[in-house]
Amino acid sequence: MLRFWEENQVYRKVKKRVWDERSSAPIFAFLEGPPTANGFMHVGHARGRTLKDVKLRYARMKGYRVWDQAGWDTQGLPVELEVEKKLGFKTKKDIERYGVERFVEECRRLVDYYIAHWVEASKRLGLWLDYEHAYETRHPRYIEAVWEFVKTAAAKGLLYEGRRVVPRCPRCGTALSSHEVAQGYQTVEDPSLYFKLPLEGLDNTYLIAWTTTPWTIIANEAAAVHPDEWYVFIAVGDEVWVVAEKRLKPFTEEVGVKDYIVIDRRKGSSLAGLRYRHPLLEEVPYHRSHEPPYHTVLTADWVSMEDGTGIVHVAPAHGPEDFELGRSHGIEAYTPLREDGYFGPEAGVFKGLWFEDANDKVAEVLKKKGLLVHLGKIVHEYPFCWRCGTRLFYYASRQWFIRISDEVRKKMVEAVDSMRWAPSWAVKRMRDWVENARDWCISRERYWGTPLPVWRCTRCGHWEVIGSLDELREKAVNPDEVPSDPHRPYIDRVRLRCPKCGGEMVREPFVLDVWMDSGVAHTAALRQYGWLHLWEKLYPYRWITEAADQTRGWFYTLLVTGIVWHGEKPYREVLLQGHVLDKEGKKMSKSKGNVVWALEWMKSHGADPMRLLLLSRAPWDSVNFDPDEVERYRSQLNTLWNTVRFADTYMELDKWSPAKAGEPRLEIEDKWLLYELHRAVKAVSEAIESDNMHHAVRAALDLVVEKISHTYIPLIRPRVWEEEMTESKNAAYKTLYTALRAAILLLAPLVPFTAEYLYQAFIKKYEPESTEETVHLEPWPKVPAELLDEEAWRAASQAIEAAEKVLALRTERRIKRRWPLPRAAIVPKQGAPSRQLLEQAATVLARLANIKNVEVSEQPPEWAEGADEIDLETIKVYVEARLDKETLLEGLAREVVRRAQVLRKQLDLPVDHVAEKLMVYAEGQLREAVEKHIDYIKREVRVKTVELLDEPPSGAKEWKVEGHRLAIKLQP
RNA sequence: GGGCCCGUAGCUCAGCCCGGUCAGAGCGCCCGGCUGAUAACCGGGAGGUCGGGGGUUCGAAUCCCCCCGGGCCCA
């Protein structure tokens, strides 16, 4: 099928048809969340991409003009890290040594490689996107769009430069944004360290502070208390300790201090200004030069009474609140820690230590000096680098930010509330995040990314944002140096003249947060191809879907840029996806080796069954990927396959075609199936529209397996076997064909390969004229209203239900289905279908349950006394679920016939050949049966005479039939 | 510490929003049928305290509260 699509360029034709011939149709605008081209597709990705494909194929069949541009995230840390791994790099220095130019080239190559993989894997999966016009975040036109956004933000006063304490990954050598940090929290065990700050001028009196990051004590510059809380002075041994009153109990319990006396109680505000001696004064020399307000008690209302001691150690360089507090008191954010995570020479005895390793050393020193109160453990969440897993720390540095103003925030919240979220609870998550959104740190000290388009004057500091390469060429001092591709390092050579002072302006050496790349996809994807004229038609996009963690990622950055840039939400409907876990329900990870790679898997097992499995659970729940489970879905598809084969076998035999069928009178089971079809179409449509793809799978498969294969086909078998092309047979064919055709179309979004195959091989064979080139261009099925007969459906449904009960009774009483039960009666209740329909329903019941005579009567017949009773919604059914002598003999006769047929087959007699003689030896009732039904046997077996013997003939075949010996021989 | 999701037969899951048809399906298992869809097809059965407890109600898997277990997010 894949080859069929490729060779005939089916996708391209579909795209053209969809857009050219539906000029007045509504647009279904999908925005692709670009996969990062830094690794292979695993089944988790495959799930998301399957969901996308289902929605898009459905929309095409529903007649929308479907916008389905593909996209790739091609820059940023994820790609750089992959290249570093490949080249064996450990730090940024390795990159500098290797050369930025070559490094960037490597990134480009790696991206090319992975994009090729993703395109192949996506196509193999069946995801139809416009790969020919995929947007790539590294494309110069795309980058210009990002610049345009930055410039717009700047024009609105939302871009600013600031020295800020931001989370930093020492390994990657760059700051991270809050949404990146949000993705990297891990539960870890850390030290819980209580230590003393000796107060100046008060002998043996100590503030007790608490920290989970002892290394930050090296950069401690102050202590903070809550101004309105009470603090107690307690005597412990010969020392006096100060802690918050509310923390006294938990604190003393945790550190194991039992004997203490409270000797004083003071308001936090009264402690302000007290000086303390830095606990590492001797070890870290530079603290000696720090005079007040350094090393004093400050007040802050964010001091928590929930943990610690109510006295917070303040390290302005390593905590955002600390930084702000310090700044308001004129305290600089000094730190001897270098950006690479190692302590520099100023750290004294801690020089050269990795920051995490300094924890132990600090504790050791404090202990030696008698300043350690308690060293315990705490299990909590701590952020790690979302890409490389290194522990982050907060660090003061110069960065660029997008301000999330109150106005922007308000608009974002409104936007979130006005969207449709699936599942509905997702809106809470998103709103919660947006309401607490902080300014967005957009600068990264890296190489392979969109360069920050800010040039700054080396003389006066004036800065300016450039919005395009043309603008840059215009303003450059050295326009010849402006590259056609604006990546580093070339772009860094471009200089401008400062309009303020005439000095030289150079580019700020940052690249942008990769999340901004994908975040402006709503506009940049079009800009890359010069399609901005389409923007108005597509924005806000109708539907997006990604994994749940993107509430903090792409969903968020799209929203920010959309609101800031265009003042309107960028998308309207969101589907949140859960993760794919391994079959034990464990997270897939490379280190565990339990990752299932999508392409590999599909190559050996095919895409469709996998798609069904991935679709089978609610999209937002996690799904366990169990290979055995996939096989179960394959077998269900197999049923469809065989059902089609059944239809094809007979239709071909009869040279039947829908064009010749006309409008035959339908029988009740036909009406029943058509109504079931109608229900299935409705269920599948609603399910896909509301993003409940798992319901769509169920409804579609139920139609095929339960309704068509299990129920309808057995019902029409006798009609199909009629020799002539009767109206009844024609009606059965037409109904079956209609149902199969619709079922194939219903399944097309879910299992595009299977559907396409059956469409080509089956539907096209019977409708060479009226079909499309591909099933995916067919209009979504709809059962014509004139074919819907709810009353008939209701009547038939109850007959079918009754038949199931009768079958259960048969099993219970060991009565084979082949043996007809003598009789049953349908008695209407309140609201029952018409008499005529009930008569027809009676035939359904008779056929499914093999009952000789099913009557309809207003009152229970006389024999109903003692018969089995089945009570249904609007009818009651009485059934004689026992064999009388007569039927028993009939049944036994049939057993004989059946076995004689086997002999015919063994002798390979042509169907119409009349054999000479059937010799039968039978015992007991079986003999009786043969005697009584001898003519019947002659006719059915097509034999001239039947001879009943007293001894088994030689060379006869023997059976035990219901306990009686049977031996027969056939003479041809 | 706060928020959210999940916890239904051996397994994988529907149902829960909008309380009331014996709590359903597929697979597996057991029994059986068919041998004119046959390297197919079909029927039946066993199996469940609907995580636990409390409440609302005439009535709860479904609504409310608490707890336990699994997971996610935030601080």
Side-chain angles (χ1 to χ4, degrees), chain A residues 192-226:
Chain A
S192 164
L193 184 140
Y194 293 87
F195 63 105
K196 303 174 193 171
L197 298 171
L199 284 169
E200 302 271 12
L202 289 168
D203 276 351
N204 270 345
T205 304
Y206 304 91
L207 301 173
I208 309 299
W210 176 70
T211 182
T212 58
T213 50
W215 62 267
T216 58
I217 298 172
I218 297 165
N220 170 281
E221 298 292 4
V225 296
H226 196 291

Coordinates of all heavy atoms in Angstrom, one line a residue, chain A residues 192-226:
Chain A
S192 N 19.8 17.5 54.8 CA 19.0 18.5 55.5 C 19.9 19.0 56.6 O 20.1 18.3 57.6 CB 17.8 17.8 56.0 OG 17.2 18.6 57.0
L193 N 20.5 20.2 56.4 CA 21.5 20.6 57.3 C 21.1 21.8 58.2 O 20.6 22.8 57.6 CB 22.8 20.9 56.5 CG 24.0 21.3 57.3 CD1 25.3 20.7 56.7 CD2 24.2 22.8 57.3
Y194 N 21.2 21.7 59.5 CA 21.0 22.8 60.4 C 22.3 23.3 60.9 O 23.1 22.5 61.3 CB 20.1 22.4 61.6 CG 18.7 22.0 61.2 CD1 18.4 20.7 60.8 CD2 17.7 22.9 61.3 CE1 17.1 20.3 60.4 CE2 16.4 22.5 60.9 CZ 16.1 21.2 60.5 OH 14.8 20.9 60.1
F195 N 22.5 24.6 60.8 CA 23.8 25.2 61.2 C 23.6 26.5 62.0 O 22.6 27.1 62.0 CB 24.7 25.3 60.1 CG 24.3 26.3 59.0 CD1 24.8 27.6 58.9 CD2 23.2 26.0 58.1 CE1 24.4 28.5 58.0 CE2 22.8 26.9 57.2 CZ 23.4 28.2 57.1
K196 N 24.7 26.9 62.6 CA 24.7 28.0 63.5 C 25.3 29.2 62.9 O 26.3 29.2 62.3 CB 25.4 27.7 64.8 CG 24.9 26.5 65.6 CD 25.9 26.2 66.8 CE 25.6 24.9 67.3 NZ 26.6 24.5 68.3
L197 N 24.6 30.4 63.1 CA 25.2 31.7 62.7 C 25.5 32.4 64.0 O 24.6 32.9 64.7 CB 24.2 32.5 61.8 CG 23.9 31.8 60.5 CD1 22.7 32.6 59.8 CD2 25.1 31.7 59.6
P198 N 26.8 32.5 64.4 CA 27.1 33.1 65.7 C 26.8 34.6 65.7 O 27.3 35.3 64.9 CB 28.6 32.9 65.9 CG 29.0 32.0 64.7 CD 28.0 32.2 63.6
L199 N 26.0 35.1 66.6 CA 25.7 36.5 66.6 C 26.8 37.3 67.3 O 27.4 36.9 68.3 CB 24.4 36.7 67.4 CG 23.1 36.3 66.7 CD1 21.9 36.3 67.7 CD2 22.8 37.2 65.5
E200 N 27.1 38.4 66.6 CA 28.1 39.3 67.1 C 27.6 40.0 68.4 O 26.5 40.4 68.5 CB 28.5 40.4 66.1 CG 28.9 39.8 64.8 CD 30.4 39.6 64.7 OE1 31.1 39.6 65.8 OE2 30.9 39.4 63.6
G201 N 28.5 40.1 69.4 CA 28.2 40.8 70.6 C 27.3 40.1 71.6 O 26.9 40.6 72.6
L202 N 26.9 38.9 71.2 CA 26.1 38.1 72.2 C 26.8 36.8 72.3 O 26.9 36.0 71.4 CB 24.7 37.9 71.6 CG 23.7 39.1 71.6 CD1 22.5 38.8 70.8 CD2 23.4 39.4 73.1
D203 N 27.4 36.5 73.5 CA 28.2 35.3 73.7 C 27.3 34.1 73.5 O 26.2 34.0 74.0 CB 28.8 35.3 75.1 CG 30.1 36.2 75.1 OD1 30.5 36.6 73.9 OD2 30.6 36.5 76.1
N204 N 27.9 33.2 72.7 CA 27.3 31.8 72.6 C 25.9 31.9 72.2 O 25.1 31.0 72.5 CB 27.4 31.1 74.0 CG 28.7 30.3 74.1 OD1 29.3 30.1 73.0 ND2 29.0 29.9 75.3
T205 N 25.5 32.9 71.4 CA 24.1 33.0 70.9 C 24.2 32.8 69.4 O 25.0 33.4 68.7 CB 23.5 34.3 71.3 OG1 23.6 34.5 72.7 CG2 22.0 34.4 70.8
Y206 N 23.3 31.9 68.9 CA 23.3 31.6 67.5 C 22.0 31.6 66.9 O 21.0 31.1 67.5 CB 23.9 30.1 67.3 CG 25.2 29.9 68.0 CD1 25.3 29.5 69.3 CD2 26.4 30.2 67.3 CE1 26.6 29.3 69.9 CE2 27.7 30.0 67.8 CZ 27.8 29.5 69.2 OH 29.0 29.3 69.7
L207 N 21.9 32.1 65.7 CA 20.7 31.9 64.8 C 20.9 30.5 64.3 O 22.0 30.1 63.9 CB 20.7 32.9 63.7 CG 20.7 34.4 64.0 CD1 20.8 35.2 62.8 CD2 19.4 34.8 64.8
I208 N 19.8 29.8 64.2 CA 19.9 28.5 63.6 C 19.2 28.5 62.2 O 18.0 28.9 62.1 CB 19.2 27.4 64.5 CG1 19.6 27.5 65.9 CG2 19.4 26.0 63.9 CD1 21.1 27.2 66.1
A209 N 20.0 28.2 61.2 CA 19.4 28.2 59.9 C 19.4 26.8 59.3 O 20.1 25.9 59.8 CB 20.2 29.2 59.0
W210 N 18.6 26.7 58.2 CA 18.4 25.4 57.6 C 18.6 25.4 56.1 O 18.3 26.4 55.5 CB 17.0 24.9 57.9 CG 16.7 23.5 57.3 CD1 17.2 22.3 57.6 CD2 15.7 23.3 56.2 NE1 16.6 21.3 56.8 CE2 15.7 21.9 56.0 CE3 14.9 24.1 55.5 CZ2 14.9 21.3 55.0 CZ3 14.1 23.5 54.5 CH2 14.1 22.2 54.3
T211 N 19.3 24.4 55.6 CA 19.4 24.4 54.1 C 19.5 23.0 53.6 O 19.9 22.1 54.3 CB 20.7 25.2 53.7 OG1 20.7 25.2 52.2 CG2 21.9 24.5 54.2
T212 N 19.1 22.8 52.3 CA 19.2 21.5 51.7 C 20.4 21.6 50.7 O 20.6 20.6 50.0 CB 17.9 21.1 51.0 OG1 17.6 22.1 50.0 CG2 16.8 20.9 52.0
T213 N 21.0 22.8 50.6 CA 22.1 23.0 49.7 C 23.2 23.6 50.4 O 23.5 24.8 50.3 CB 21.7 23.9 48.5 OG1 21.1 25.1 49.0 CG2 20.7 23.2 47.5
P214 N 23.9 22.8 51.2 CA 25.0 23.3 52.1 C 26.1 24.1 51.4 O 26.6 25.1 51.9 CB 25.6 22.1 52.7 CG 24.5 21.1 52.7 CD 23.7 21.3 51.5
W215 N 26.3 23.7 50.1 CA 27.3 24.5 49.4 C 27.0 25.9 49.2 O 27.9 26.7 49.0 CB 27.6 23.8 48.0 CG 26.4 23.8 47.1 CD1 25.4 22.9 46.9 CD2 26.0 24.9 46.2 NE1 24.5 23.3 46.0 CE2 24.9 24.5 45.5 CE3 26.6 26.2 45.8 CZ2 24.2 25.3 44.5 CZ3 26.0 26.9 44.9 CH2 24.8 26.5 44.2
T216 N 25.7 26.3 49.3 CA 25.4 27.7 49.1 C 25.8 28.6 50.3 O 25.9 29.8 50.2 CB 23.9 27.9 48.9 OG1 23.2 27.4 50.0 CG2 23.5 27.3 47.6
I217 N 26.1 27.9 51.4 CA 26.6 28.6 52.6 C 27.9 29.4 52.3 O 28.1 30.5 52.9 CB 26.8 27.7 53.8 CG1 25.4 27.0 54.2 CG2 27.3 28.4 55.0 CD1 25.6 25.9 55.2
I218 N 28.6 28.8 51.4 CA 29.9 29.5 51.0 C 29.6 30.9 50.4 O 30.3 31.8 50.6 CB 30.6 28.7 49.9 CG1 31.0 27.3 50.5 CG2 31.8 29.4 49.3 CD1 31.4 26.3 49.5
A219 N 28.4 31.0 49.8 CA 28.0 32.3 49.2 C 27.0 33.1 50.1 O 26.3 34.0 49.6 CB 27.5 32.2 47.8
N220 N 26.9 32.6 51.3 CA 25.9 33.3 52.2 C 26.3 34.7 52.5 O 27.5 35.0 52.7 CB 25.9 32.5 53.6 CG 25.1 33.3 54.6 OD1 25.6 34.2 55.2 ND2 23.8 32.9 54.8
E221 N 25.3 35.6 52.5 CA 25.6 37.0 52.8 C 24.7 37.6 53.8 O 24.9 38.7 54.3 CB 25.5 37.8 51.5 CG 26.4 37.5 50.4 CD 27.9 37.8 50.7 OE1 28.2 38.2 51.8 OE2 28.8 37.5 49.8
A222 N 23.6 36.9 54.1 CA 22.6 37.4 55.1 C 21.8 36.3 55.6 O 21.8 35.2 55.2 CB 21.8 38.5 54.4
A223 N 20.9 36.7 56.6 CA 20.0 35.7 57.2 C 18.6 36.5 57.1 O 18.6 37.7 57.3 CB 20.3 35.3 58.6
A224 N 17.6 35.7 56.9 CA 16.3 36.4 56.8 C 15.3 35.8 57.8 O 15.2 34.6 58.0 CB 15.7 36.2 55.4
V225 N 14.5 36.7 58.4 CA 13.5 36.2 59.3 C 12.2 36.9 58.9 O 12.1 37.8 58.1 CB 13.7 36.6 60.8 CG1 15.0 36.0 61.3 CG2 13.8 38.2 60.9
H226 N 11.1 36.3 59.3 CA 9.8 36.9 59.0 C 9.5 38.0 60.0 O 9.5 37.7 61.2 CB 8.7 35.8 59.0 CG 7.4 36.2 58.4 ND1 6.6 37.2 58.8 CD2 6.9 35.8 57.2 CE1 5.6 37.4 58.0 NE2 5.7 36.5 57.0

